[in-house]
Amino acid sequence: MRFRKQAISMRTAGLGAGCPVLFLAMTAGPVGGKPFDAVAEAQTPKAAASNRPESQKSAHDRSEAFRATSAQPSSDAFGSQPDQGKVLGFDFYRDPLNAKKPMRTFEEIMKEDKAAKPKIMEDQRKLLESRYDLTPRFHPEAKMSRGKPVPVGPTARLRDGVTWESLAAMTPEEMRKKGVFPYPALPHPKQATGGQVFPKMQIEMFPRLERFDVEFDLPDAFLPEFPPAMFLQNRPELGDVSRGEVVSINNYYALFKDLLTPVQLDGLRLLLTPFPQEEFNPTDDRKSEQPSLGVTCLDCHINGHTTGQFHLNPDNRPQERRLRLDTVSLRGMYNQQLHGSKRSLRSVEDFTEFEFRTAYFNGDPIHAMKKGFTQFDRVQVSHMAQMQNMFDFPPAPKLDVAGGRLDPAKATDAERRGEQVFFGKGKCAECHMPPAYLDDRMHDLRLERFVNEAPTGPIKTFTLRGIKDSPPYMHDGRCLTLEDTVEFFNLVLELKLNAQEKADLAAFMRAL
């Protein structure tokens, strides 16, 4: 780790005005440009030129003698035994799990995956372009917490001759029969493999998160900020405490040693420590080109929020029944009593423990035993939970203090009208109740009424506080903007909202 000296004013440091202060700050990166990644640094061997004879590779070093197929049998009697004494099928520890052919090398699998990747992503691009207008349009005034423009829609493409008004006049059965429902399930680009996929902007900073078999599919314009803002409910007067940085094992101590208690700080350390995960680990069935220590909780819930990373939910089988699942924000965790999209976990501690023991491995603890089983002491789990409970919603200056409703004196006409729709004709408040705008329950929208897809079953209500910071929307990101979400519910709940009511409802949600 390198450090640099930097002079700042006491005002900049939050200490007062005028007097310069000298402090040590971690550099953004080593000489050469890329941001420093202590995790990658710890596991990346350095090339060291040497003329020492013992460091030179010999023909024996490069030979095939070390492969299992080159091993000589311990007895010539095996020739008459079944399979000549060899394990010809699946070897749990050595082989990639669920491989089509057992006893394949990592290099063979990676070569095949790399060759298939361009077509996989081209097919996904064509699918997305057939469903959405991916040309970004932005709200003229609304911004996310750190200034990124908020995308507006709707972006869904409608069939020729179909309008939003004619759609709303159809019954669910008519939409399903004609195949015109504009928001079918959004699939993972590589369903058979699944796994966590990180957006390009994050991989550029942390290359260890790149996969060789698949890549992120949605444009950056429809994703949250990077880095996202970070708010602490124990220090609300500070506002965004990220200071424009991605919180990582490189900088967490310098950023938070004066803001968090020792217990919370230890919890943050654990949330920033990598542990093996299904696609990111040292085994031959990983999807990172180099062996990896794994991922951290806050690689996905970055700065306690999200950048729209997705994977498959761990709760369904067989594989084709699993759902694409976006990473959700941890903001306001202290106010939530239900965790996990379908698992209905009742405490932050249970959620934290479950993620490591099974969700990191697609709900399969057998995989975890192979790739790096992690079992935390309950004290460590409580530290991690305490830190997660520090993450707060972004400020909402137009909401009143008592009940989380709009302050009429601060709201626009559109926002006030939208609030009336939200609590009235729109039926939104039946599931999204203030002040946190959720109900800690699970609901089944029965989308199979509208599309020829398998039922998804009940999924938990997600909070709407700070919702403008969290595109795309729904559990799988199928609604790229708030306007798309309004259109979705207008159809699914058969609300019959007019154009003005829909625009006002989106305006109100941006104020949350």
Side-chain angles (χ1 to χ4, degrees), residues 77-88:
F78 295 158
S80 61
Q81 292 185 5
D83 295 332
Q84 297 183 333
K86 299 177 181 179
V87 177
L88 299 180

Side-chain angles (χ1 to χ4, degrees), residues 54-250:
E54 65 268 30
S55 68
Q56 308 308 308
K57 292 274 188 181
S58 67
H60 175 67
D61 295 333
R62 298 188 180 93
S63 74
E64 298 291 305
F66 302 97
R67 294 175 64 93
T69 53
S70 300
Q72 294 297 306
S74 60
S75 170
D76 58 10
F78 295 158
S80 61
Q81 292 185 5
D83 295 332
Q84 297 183 333
K86 299 177 181 179
V87 177
L88 299 180
F90 183 79
D91 182 334
F92 173 75
Y93 198 81
R94 289 183 53 241
D95 290 346
L97 295 164
N98 299 324
K100 294 178 181 178
K101 299 177 182 177
M103 306 301 285
R104 299 178 72 202
T105 67
F106 170 75
E107 288 73 22
E108 290 170 334
I109 296 171
M110 180 170 64
K111 181 179 179 181
E112 182 179 287
D113 280 347
K114 284 186 172 181
K117 181 178 179 179
K119 184 178 187 307
I120 289 171
M121 297 316 303
E122 176 64 14
D123 289 347
Q124 184 75 353
R125 183 188 65 80
K126 290 179 179 178
L127 173 70
L128 292 173
E129 290 180 346
S130 72
R131 293 188 180 185
Y132 305 102
D133 178 358
L134 296 175
T135 304
R137 293 181 290 124
F138 300 105
H139 193 277
E141 298 174 357
K143 300 288 189 295
M144 299 182 198
S145 292
R146 289 195 59 84
K148 183 176 180 178
V150 173
V152 297
T155 63
R157 295 187 186 275
L158 303 181
R159 289 280 193 90
D160 290 342
V162 175
T163 65
W164 291 110
E165 290 72 25
S166 64
L167 265 181
M170 295 183 191
T171 65
E173 292 74 20
E174 286 178 301
M175 279 186 255
R176 185 180 68 237
K177 184 176 180 180
K178 295 179 180 180
V180 293
F181 184 69
Y183 298 107
L186 184 60
H188 194 293
K190 196 176 183 183
Q191 178 77 17
T193 302
Q196 192 80 357
V197 183
F198 293 89
K200 181 180 179 181
M201 57 192 177
Q202 191 171 353
I203 290 172
E204 288 176 350
M205 179 170 284
F206 300 105
R208 59 188 171 82
L209 300 175
E210 185 170 18
R211 289 175 58 162
F212 55 71
D213 65 326
V214 71
E215 61 190 35
F216 203 84
D217 54 356
L218 295 178
D220 171 81
F222 301 105
L223 300 181
E225 298 175 299
F226 183 80
M230 182 174 175
F231 304 95
L232 298 177
Q233 55 102 336
N234 62 326
R235 295 298 302 276
E237 79 280 8
L238 294 177
D240 175 16
V241 297
S242 75
R243 285 165 269 186
E245 297 191 37
V246 173
V247 179
S248 71
I249 204 70
N250 304 314

